[in-house]
Amino acid sequence: GKYYYYSDIITLDTETSSNIIFNKDGSIDKDNTNSWIYQWCICTKEYLINGDNIDTLIAAICKIDSMSQYGIRKIYVHNLGYDNTYMIQSLVDKLGIPEIVALDKHKEICVNFEHIQLCCSYRLSNKSLDKWSNDLNTEHKKKIGYIDYNEKHYPGERRSEKDNIYMWHDVVSQYECIDKQLYMYNDTLASIPLTSTGYIRRLVRKSYHDYNLVSNDRAFKDFIKMRIDSNIYNMLRMEFQGGLTHGNRFYANRIVNISKKHPYGKHRDFDSHYPTQQLTKKYPMGKWIHEYSRTECKNKYCIKEVEKLIKSDKAILMMCSIKGLKLRDPKESLPYAQECKFRQNSKLYGVFDNGRVLEYSGESIVSLNEIDYQILKKQYNFKIQILDLYYCDKDYLPSWLTDVIKDLYKRKNELKKRVQDIEESLIALEGKYTYDDLYDAKLDLLKVKELLNAIYGMSATNPVRDRFSIDDQGEYNIEHLNIDEALDKYYKSRNNCLQYSWGCWCTSYARMELIRKKDIIETHGGIFLYADTDSIFYLSNDEVEAALDKDDQDKLQLAIDNNYCVTLNNGKVKYFDHFDAETDYKAFKFLHAKCYGTIDINDHLDITVAGV
């Protein structure tokens, strides 16, 4: 196309150390604290290139630049935003001011000099290097815990063999991951996307363009019809939340064991939770109508009118003033109101639990859709005043998108069966398959799973982003785009096809379904312990399991009635929307969100701590 790229894979990593100085109050003294690069390594197909200070690192990059005059050479850095903090000023001095693509300050996706493109492999994989190398089963893995991370090091000092091995494994495993990634998606360094959602964008855009070709641009016309303005955009940004992750505060920091009353320690999760919500639920699918604005109308908008719109199956987006929010049931184990959302426009004084609101006094300005409102109404008492309200028709997502979801869901289940068949054949020594067949099948399954889950990530991508640039001192400058102009550009592009509201509603539906399952567990005598987006840990008995199984049967019948299914190549029909049982456990403990552990019925200890 427009550019030539060198085909060589190059990976880079740095190791840093620091002298952290603390103030008397325990905070870090930023003026006197320093950090520095004491070791770096570059990996190519044939060489590992080492150094022990920033000057030799910049010299190495400049040498690569001088050898890349006929095209662009990509250098992959895992978590580029961190390493680039140490390199950028020196690189600017040597190579000039780059163009950057970033999510925020020090969250670069890529940094583009004339002949060198620094790319973030974390944004490409959306995984830690440890998880990425394990998922792809590369020959070399990151050496987690191999060295003492607290030991202080300095440039130029003699490094131990362990330090070198740790460094080498970082860049070699990263090299092998990128090599496998190119193989998985049949890419080159010219076609490989910058981020993980780039892979699914190719599939969805093809389906969208193909549909437009045979439907006289119907999908594009619908896309334009549903466009939003800056006011709706700002309300959607305020409304958007991720998955619901929270533990039952009454059991925090306690080892919880099974008992006679609760003989089962259960863990269930939803099969393809977000794809299920995308396929089985209705979304904003029409022109947004501005129903009410407090600044334009002196009369208050009655909440009964909102509920009438909800009953008539409309999508609602409203800015509200909420006062005196308080849980109806003080024993509620999974509070819905997110503290950061309710704090963003006001100072709150009240009772909070690990990021969730139990009660507060005062007023908060929040943006809600109809799903948020129904959950809040069920869990809390509060006074509400509508400040701004939009509504539009709801319908199922268009076929050009759901067809991609169904196809990936079908391929996922067929590949799961293939992996199972190969494993059984290898155990039985039938000679029908080899371990290479098993590896390829697992790789294909991983790829399809990631594509299926990435459709949500694509729909939740912010259509308006600030622009970042770097000056000749290596300092960041932010250009805040005019929202209406950015939206005009977004809706004029024939490559864009998804509505930001679809991502907002998808997570709302997912949170509502999680709470509904939690309520079933507690209504029938179980104890909810911990939930994370699409899974629940709980103590159970026969009555709870019977109730959950019945609910799954009801969901199955709904899927049958509405054709929420795919037919596999072997003729078996696979339905969406079921709550699968995972391995039972004997003991469970959590401290806070993303921090928990279990001992399963096979006495296997498993600990999950985010970032560790």
Side-chain angles (χ1 to χ4, degrees):
K2 298 178 181 179
Y3 306 100
Y4 287 101
Y5 287 89
Y6 286 91
S7 59
D8 313 279
I9 299 171
I10 301 176
T11 58
L12 163 67
D13 191 32
T14 68
E15 294 298 327
T16 62
S17 195
S18 62
N19 63 331
I20 300 177
I21 307 298
F22 293 97
N23 295 313
K24 291 181 179 179
D25 62 359
S27 62
I28 294 176
D29 181 350
K30 294 182 180 180
D31 293 331
N32 293 306
T33 291
N34 293 295
S35 55
W36 54 83
I37 291 174
Y38 71 88
Q39 186 181 5
W40 59 267
C41 191
I42 289 174
C43 177
T44 69
K45 184 176 182 179
E46 296 177 341
Y47 299 105
L48 286 171
I49 307 160
N50 293 266
D52 59 11
N53 61 65
I54 182 68
D55 295 332
T56 53
L57 171 59
I58 301 304
I61 294 174
C62 289
K63 179 66 175 177
I64 294 171
D65 175 75
S66 69
M67 298 167 64
S68 311
Q69 299 302 305
Y70 299 105
I72 297 170
R73 186 97 60 180
K74 288 186 174 181
I75 301 176
Y76 280 94
V77 185
H78 210 72
N79 196 2
L80 173 62
Y82 178 80
D83 298 78
N84 196 48
T85 304
Y86 296 87
M87 302 187 296
I88 189 61
Q89 188 169 346
S90 298
L91 287 173
V92 168
D93 292 342
K94 296 289 186 180
L95 301 178
I97 298 174
E99 293 181 355
I100 66 170
V101 179
L103 300 174
D104 205 340
K105 280 186 176 182
H106 305 297
K107 291 185 178 180
E108 294 93 340
I109 295 172
C110 65
V111 178
N112 303 313
F113 296 94
E114 185 177 3
H115 298 293
I116 295 290
Q117 186 179 58
L118 299 174
C119 301
C120 183
S121 53
Y122 172 72
R123 301 295 168 186
L124 173 67
S125 62
N126 204 27
K127 298 174 184 176
S128 69
L129 184 56
D130 178 47
K131 179 169 174 52
W132 197 19
S133 59
N134 278 297
D135 283 351
L136 296 182
N137 194 26
T138 55
E139 180 182 351
H140 298 85
K141 308 288 195 300
K142 184 175 176 67
K143 289 280 191 178
I144 294 291
Y146 192 70
I147 61 172
D148 182 357
Y149 298 104
N150 294 318
E151 188 175 344
K152 198 170 292 186
H153 295 278
Y154 297 94
E157 72 180 15
R158 183 179 179 87
R159 296 189 301 274
S160 69
E161 184 180 8
K162 269 194 165 186
D163 287 324
N164 283 329
I165 290 172
Y166 179 82
M167 176 98 264
W168 297 338
H169 273 256
D170 272 6
V171 289
V172 173
S173 62
Q174 184 190 2
Y175 182 102
E176 292 170 352
C177 283
I178 293 167
D179 195 33
K180 290 283 176 66
Q181 198 89 354
L182 292 172
Y183 169 76
M184 277 172 65
Y185 291 95
N186 195 27
D187 269 318
T188 68
L189 284 180
S191 63
I192 189 171
L194 291 173
T195 65
S196 58
T197 56
Y199 295 109
I200 192 60
R201 287 182 194 281
R202 296 193 290 214
L203 277 178
V204 171
R205 281 172 177 167
K206 184 180 185 307
S207 181
Y208 173 70
H209 291 315
D210 289 348
Y211 183 83
N212 277 321
L213 286 173
V214 300
S215 66
N216 193 27
D217 260 2
R218 179 181 170 186
F220 181 69
K221 291 171 184 175
D222 288 342
F223 176 67
I224 297 300
K225 179 183 176 183
M226 290 182 279
R227 74 151 292 163
I228 58 176
D229 60 23
S230 57
N231 195 37
I232 299 172
Y233 166 80
N234 287 325
M235 290 170 68
L236 288 171
R237 291 293 293 159
M238 283 184 65
E239 187 282 332
F240 179 80
Q241 299 179 46
L244 177 53
T245 302
H246 196 71
N248 185 338
R249 63 189 180 280
F250 302 109
Y251 292 88
N253 200 19
R254 287 172 54 185
I255 295 176
V256 183
N257 298 289
I258 56 177
S259 63
K260 287 184 179 180
K261 187 176 181 181
H262 298 101
Y264 314 124
K266 289 288 185 178
H267 172 210
R268 290 199 187 211
D269 67 8
F270 294 93
D271 177 44
S272 299
H273 195 30
Y274 282 173
T276 292
Q277 309 313 312
Q278 291 168 319
L279 196 77
T280 64
K281 300 295 195 299
K282 290 184 177 182
Y283 289 79
M285 288 294 292
K287 181 179 179 181
W288 285 98
I289 296 170
H290 197 184
E291 172 74 355
Y292 174 79
S293 172
R294 187 76 178 91
T295 59
E296 297 173 4
C297 183
K298 293 182 180 179
N299 297 326
K300 292 182 179 180
Y301 195 82
C302 181
I303 196 64
K304 290 183 179 180
E305 296 299 318
V306 174
E307 294 179 351
K308 281 183 184 178
L309 289 171
I310 295 173
K311 286 180 180 178
S312 62
D313 204 24
K314 301 295 184 185
I316 310 293
L317 182 63
M318 54 186 179
M319 192 75 78
C320 311
S321 162
I322 293 183
K323 295 180 180 179
L325 192 74
K326 184 176 181 179
L327 283 173
R328 292 176 182 270
D329 181 359
K331 295 181 180 179
E332 173 60 56
S333 57
L334 187 56
Y336 184 72
Q338 197 172 7
E339 183 180 351
C340 66
K341 289 292 178 182
F342 281 77
R343 279 190 184 278
Q344 59 189 344
N345 287 298
S346 59
K347 291 183 179 179
L348 295 183
Y349 302 93
V351 183
F352 308 96
D353 173 44
N354 196 210
R356 299 282 156 182
V357 179
L358 305 183
E359 65 174 287
Y360 70 76
S361 58
E363 177 186 22
S364 187
I365 307 299
V366 295
S367 180
L368 307 173
N369 62 25
E370 75 278 6
I371 307 159
D372 301 322
Y373 169 73
Q374 290 174 88
I375 299 173
L376 284 175
K377 183 183 177 184
K378 181 181 178 183
Q379 285 195 353
Y380 295 87
N381 289 310
F382 54 88
K383 293 181 180 179
I384 185 170
Q385 182 178 342
I386 310 301
L387 305 177
D388 212 357
L389 187 141
Y390 291 81
Y391 75 89
C392 75
D393 293 332
K394 283 203 292 191
D395 206 342
Y396 295 103
L397 292 176
S399 60
W400 54 262
L401 181 58
T402 56
D403 285 349
V404 176
I405 296 170
K406 284 185 173 182
D407 179 60
L408 290 172
Y409 187 68
K410 174 183 175 182
R411 287 163 60 190
K412 169 189 165 182
N413 283 282
E414 286 176 342
L415 284 165
K416 283 173 73 174
K417 182 66 168 63
R418 176 169 171 75
V419 168
Q420 182 181 350
D421 290 346
I422 294 174
E423 287 177 334
E424 290 175 356
S425 176
L426 290 172
I427 291 171
L429 301 176
E430 294 176 350
K432 188 177 179 182
Y433 298 104
T434 67
Y435 280 98
D436 285 342
D437 294 324
L438 178 61
Y439 173 74
D440 286 341
K442 285 186 172 182
L443 208 60
D444 287 341
L445 177 58
L446 175 69
K447 169 185 167 182
V448 169
K449 281 182 175 180
E450 289 177 348
L451 286 171
L452 182 60
N453 292 328
I455 295 179
Y456 158 73
M458 182 182 174
S459 68
T461 300
N462 184 357
V464 179
R465 292 191 179 176
D466 295 331
R467 285 189 188 142
F468 295 87
S469 60
I470 292 175
D471 62 22
D472 57 5
Q473 301 298 312
E475 295 293 328
Y476 282 83
N477 298 309
I478 304 175
E479 179 189 352
H480 297 293
L481 299 182
N482 179 284
I483 295 174
D484 282 317
E485 290 178 5
L487 289 171
D488 281 340
K489 185 178 180 180
Y490 179 80
Y491 280 95
K492 284 178 182 176
S493 172
R494 302 287 295 203
N495 275 330
N496 296 324
C497 54
L498 298 185
Q499 303 293 331
Y500 184 57
S501 59
W502 296 350
C504 297
W505 261 250
C506 182
T507 53
S508 293
Y509 281 130
R511 293 190 297 271
M512 180 178 239
E513 188 62 19
L514 195 73
I515 289 173
R516 197 181 68 80
K517 292 290 189 184
K518 184 272 301 183
D519 289 342
I520 291 174
I521 290 167
E522 292 183 333
T523 300
H524 292 85
I527 297 175
F528 161 77
L529 296 174
Y530 180 85
D532 185 352
T533 309
D534 65 349
S535 67
I536 297 178
F537 291 87
Y538 61 101
L539 292 181
S540 187
N541 54 39
D542 290 334
E543 185 181 345
V544 172
E545 294 309 299
L548 288 171
D549 289 342
K550 181 183 182 304
D551 187 63
D552 250 16
Q553 285 300 311
D554 293 342
K555 287 283 187 181
L556 174 60
Q557 189 58 53
L558 191 64
I560 293 170
D561 295 342
N562 291 278
N563 200 32
Y564 302 145
C565 63
V566 294
T567 303
L568 308 184
N569 290 338
N570 61 6
K572 183 180 178 181
V573 178
K574 183 73 174 177
Y575 291 96
F576 284 81
D577 207 3
H578 44 96
F579 199 38
D580 293 333
E582 300 293 320
T583 305
D584 287 5
Y585 58 86
K586 297 191 294 187
F588 178 89
K589 180 178 181 179
F590 83 94
L591 299 182
H592 50 76
K594 303 287 187 181
C595 181
Y596 62 89
T598 60
I599 297 175
D600 69 20
I601 54 173
N602 301 313
D603 289 322
H604 174 72
L605 172 68
D606 186 52
I607 302 257
T608 298
V609 182
V612 179

